[in-house]
Structures are given as structure tokens and as C-alpha cells.
Amino acid sequence: MTVYCGIDWAEQHHDIAVVDEHGHLVARGRIGDDLDGFSTLVQMLAAAGDTDCAIPVAIETPRGLLVAALRASGRRVYSINPMAVARYRERYSVSRKKSDHADAVVLANILRTDAHAHRPLPRDSELVQAVAVLARAHQDGTWRRTRASNELRSLLREYFPTFLAAFTGRKGNLTSADARAVLAIAPTPAAAAKLSTTRIAAALRRGGRQRGVEDLAAELQQALRRPQLRQPPVVEEAMGTQALALLATLNVECASVDQLTEAASKAFRQHPDHAIVTSFPGLADVTGARVLAEIGDDRARFADARALKAYAGAAPVTRASGRSISITHRKVKNDRLAAAGYLWAFVAATHAEPAKQHYQRRRDHGDRHPAALRNLFNRLLGCLHHCLATGQLYHPDKAFPQLAMPALTAAG
């Protein structure tokens, strides 16, 4: 007898439903989110005829200790999108009634009827799962750092624009150690006007600068003393206090990003695919770790390069109905991989000549900047899929053969 298991998970407990090939309920129960609960689940599946972890499991999340334990046992685990579960629920009830047990039954029946339309969680190695944890944490930390920097910048524009002007165009802008060190001793225009080059130089050294300290200190002193419009003294002082509070948050986020950068890079360099991924222009340790984290190292995860491109949002979507046909960019995608792909394509189009030529051809064809970058990302991602499958390193002539042909003809 073929049976299927559905798990409706929650923070404190999980509802279990096991149905047979005809949709009849074989077993049901509720387990806790602990080791005893997992043991009870294994016993329920064994009583339902489970052998060699053959019963597939459907659940609404790909994360958590329960999912990790199920995957470690070698069982096929299907992560079903909650929105899809809501649509399936309407097949069994039009009154919109809902319960945890009923949702577990729905999840089990999804596998019974439409398992072919869903994919099990990939069998990624433990190392790539660790890379994914660190790379995603680094990406989140970078976004938080950007938000903190933008919030501080908005405040400084209201009462201290000369400080922003002093660091505009410098590497890192407000996130740089130099800017944060100087702002800590001069949060207001009044405090900045009293700074000597000696105090500025000392702050720069505390921030980690070792070269050109005296010249930079003199330059910053002159920039911070330029005349500007001023808030009333009491208001200016209050805004300076707020700026110091925001600066403390920014310092924490910058330190977090630095720590996660080192950890993610170290884990990524240990992976066998590191050499292949970093052979591509625009992919170094950080961006490459992000790409590998979302792709994984399960070679059977994507049937072909087209599936990977659709997953990343690089491939367009065609909508055809009657005589109406529209081709638009894909909105349902892996947002993390799409964000990493945008950076990847941008850096490649800036520093790699074949990628730059491909980007320019798309622009000349009429694509706007985002569309041209997506097209370049689409091409590079297809090449990466091929290189990972065959174990080859990136080669520009193979990635962009249409650009290499004229050069070969001229040489001949």
C-alpha cells in the first residue's frame, strides 16, 4: 500500500496526517517540536508500512529542526508553498473552514495527486547548507547596514550637510571607518568647527587608517568648517544626539557584515565548486558564495539550464491568450539569487570585455539597463550550469561565441 504524509507545522506542535493511495486517512496525530515528537512521527510512519524511509512528506516550510531531521533520514521532503496549499484547500471545502488537521490532510493529498508537479527539497551537502546560512546572513546584514546608513544620511541632510559633502565620493561613504570615526567626535557642526587636525588624525587612526592620516585630517578639517545653514542650537544638539544613536546601530551592522564576510568566504573556499564559480567574471568569494548558496550542489535539482534561469528570474515569461502575446520579466523568483545576479552581471559588464560587449549589444538592441543586465545574467547563469555539470572552468570564447567569431575570422 502506498501512503503519503502531510505535516501542518506550528511553533509549539505539528499535526500529522497519513493517507493511502485512495485518499483514506490511515493515521493522524499531533506531535511536539522536540525529539520525542520526531520519534513519535517515525513510529507513526513505521506503523503505516514505512520501509527504508520511503513515505514522502509534505510540509509548508523548507527550514526548521523537524525538516532537518527528516532530510537527514534520507526521506523525500516536499516544501509546498502556503499559497498553493490554500488553493488546494478549496478543492475539499467551499465554506473556507480551516483546521490544522485538515491542512495536514490537504498536504498529504497534494502528494497523492500531484507529486509530479512539485519538487522535493534538494539533497545538498552539509557544507553547502552551511555556506547558505552564512551567505544569506551576510546578505541580510548588508541590507541592514544599507538601511542604517540611509537613515543616518537622511538625518545629516537636515542639519549637517557639510559632513556628507566631506565624505561624498570616498569609498564606503558613511559606512567607511573614517566617516564613522569622525562623526563620533563631531556629531554637530558646532563640535566639528572646534576640531583640530590632531583630534581628527587620532580619530582616523582609531578607525584603522594607517596611511595619509595627516593630509586627510587637514582636508577634513577644512571641509567640516565650511559655512552652512544651521538649525537652532538646541535643535542641533538634539539632532546630534540622535545621530550618535544611529551611528551606534551602524557600527554594529558594519562589524556584523565584516564578521560574516570572513565566515562566508572561509566556508565557500572549502567547497569543491569554489574554483569553478570564482572563474566567472564578477564572482568573488562573497558574491560567489551567495550564488552557490541558492543553487546548491545537488546536480539533479534542476533538469536543465532553463529551469535554473526560471528559478533565478533571469528568463522572461511569455503570456499568450488568443491573439494577445506579451513577454515580460519574471516576478516570481528566488529574490536572493536575483539580487546576487544583478551584482554579478553589473560587475562583469564593467570589468570583463566580452560581457561588456554583450551588454552593449543588448542596449543597442533597445533594452534598458535592467533588461540588458538580466539578459547578461541569463547568459552567464546558463554557462555556470554547464560548467558545474561538466566540471569546466569559465572560458569567454565559449560563453560568448558570437563575439569571438569575428576575431577568429580576422586572424584567419
Side-chain angles (χ1 to χ4, degrees):
M1 180 178 62
T2 304
V3 296
Y4 308 88
C5 177
I7 301 178
D8 183 78
W9 71 281
E11 183 176 351
Q12 300 296 334
H13 62 265
H14 312 296
D15 281 81
I16 312 298
V18 180
V19 301
D20 62 15
E21 56 193 2
H22 303 293
H24 300 149
L25 186 64
V26 175
R28 60 174 294 184
R30 173 171 288 185
I31 62 175
D33 189 30
D34 52 19
L35 181 59
D36 292 338
F38 180 74
S39 301
T40 302
L41 172 61
V42 173
Q43 295 172 7
M44 289 178 58
L45 296 179
D50 188 23
T51 57
D52 299 327
C53 298
I55 296 180
V57 176
I59 192 170
E60 291 179 295
T61 178
R63 292 177 290 274
L65 288 174
L66 179 62
V67 174
L70 289 170
R71 296 179 68 181
S73 65
R75 192 181 305 276
R76 284 180 299 157
V77 180
Y78 292 78
S79 175
I80 311 299
N81 190 293
M83 294 182 63
V85 177
R87 301 288 80 77
Y88 275 101
R89 190 187 302 125
E90 296 174 355
R91 297 175 57 182
Y92 300 94
S93 174
V94 296
S95 63
R96 296 188 177 184
K97 66 179 182 179
K98 182 186 183 303
S99 68
D100 294 341
H101 168 66
D103 283 353
V105 174
V106 170
L107 285 163
N109 280 313
I110 290 176
L111 294 185
R112 180 179 65 87
T113 59
D114 295 324
H116 62 281
H118 300 275
R119 293 185 301 177
L121 292 177
R123 299 181 183 274
D124 290 329
S125 65
E126 294 181 1
L127 178 57
V128 84
Q129 292 182 47
V131 171
V133 171
L134 295 171
R136 290 168 182 170
H138 177 270
Q139 195 172 32
D140 291 337
T142 303
W143 289 338
R144 290 194 303 268
R145 183 184 65 181
T146 301
R147 286 194 296 268
S149 174
N150 289 340
E151 190 174 0
L152 179 58
R153 180 180 180 276
S154 297
L155 176 63
L156 292 174
R157 285 183 68 251
E158 295 184 14
Y159 82 101
F160 202 176
T162 54
F163 185 90
L164 293 176
F167 289 93
T168 298
R170 302 183 187 276
K171 183 178 180 181
N173 207 333
L174 288 181
T175 62
S176 67
D178 292 343
R180 291 183 283 121
V182 174
L183 183 61
I185 62 174
T188 63
K194 300 176 183 178
L195 286 180
S196 63
T197 56
T198 303
R199 288 195 63 193
I200 297 177
L204 293 174
R205 290 190 179 93
R206 285 196 300 272
R209 175 169 287 274
Q210 298 178 352
R211 298 180 179 179
V213 176
E214 301 298 335
D215 293 339
L216 180 57
E219 182 181 345
L220 290 176
Q221 183 192 43
Q222 183 178 3
L224 294 175
R225 289 183 176 183
R226 289 174 184 169
Q228 68 159 58
L229 297 176
R230 300 279 293 272
Q231 294 277 2
V234 177
V235 177
E236 183 178 276
E237 189 66 27
M239 288 184 166
T241 303
Q242 182 184 3
L244 290 178
L246 295 177
L247 177 62
T249 301
L250 180 59
N251 286 335
V252 171
E253 298 300 345
C254 289
S256 174
V257 169
D258 292 340
Q259 180 183 1
L260 290 170
T261 297
E262 180 62 28
S265 300
K266 181 179 179 180
F268 178 46
R269 286 192 290 266
Q270 298 174 8
H271 197 277
D273 293 337
H274 174 267
I276 296 177
V277 174
T278 54
S279 67
F280 281 75
L283 288 183
D285 284 349
V286 173
T287 313
R290 292 182 184 180
V291 172
L292 182 64
E294 303 308 324
I295 294 177
D297 55 5
D298 181 2
R299 298 292 181 257
R301 181 177 184 180
F302 302 102
D304 51 26
R306 293 177 60 188
L308 175 57
K309 294 174 181 179
Y311 177 72
V317 174
T318 301
R319 293 181 174 87
S321 178
R323 298 182 180 180
S324 175
I325 298 178
S326 65
I327 301 177
T328 60
H329 68 276
R330 191 178 297 265
K331 296 183 179 180
V332 179
K333 59 185 181 299
N334 184 315
D335 292 332
R336 291 184 180 274
L337 182 55
Y342 185 89
L343 294 176
W344 177 13
F346 180 81
V347 175
T350 304
H351 299 284
E353 190 59 32
K356 183 177 181 180
Q357 294 179 23
H358 181 87
Y359 167 82
Q360 192 58 49
R361 285 184 58 184
R362 297 306 308 176
R363 290 298 304 242
D364 296 340
H365 184 69
D367 287 354
R368 302 181 66 179
H369 174 70
L373 284 183
R374 276 197 304 270
N375 190 279
L376 176 58
F377 175 41
N378 187 68
R379 171 60 65 91
L380 292 173
L381 196 60
C383 296
L384 178 60
H385 179 272
H386 174 76
C387 289
L388 290 174
T390 59
Q392 301 180 46
L393 299 180
Y394 167 83
H395 195 283
D397 292 342
K398 295 181 179 180
F400 302 95
Q402 73 280 10
L403 301 178
M405 288 300 295
L408 294 175
T409 304

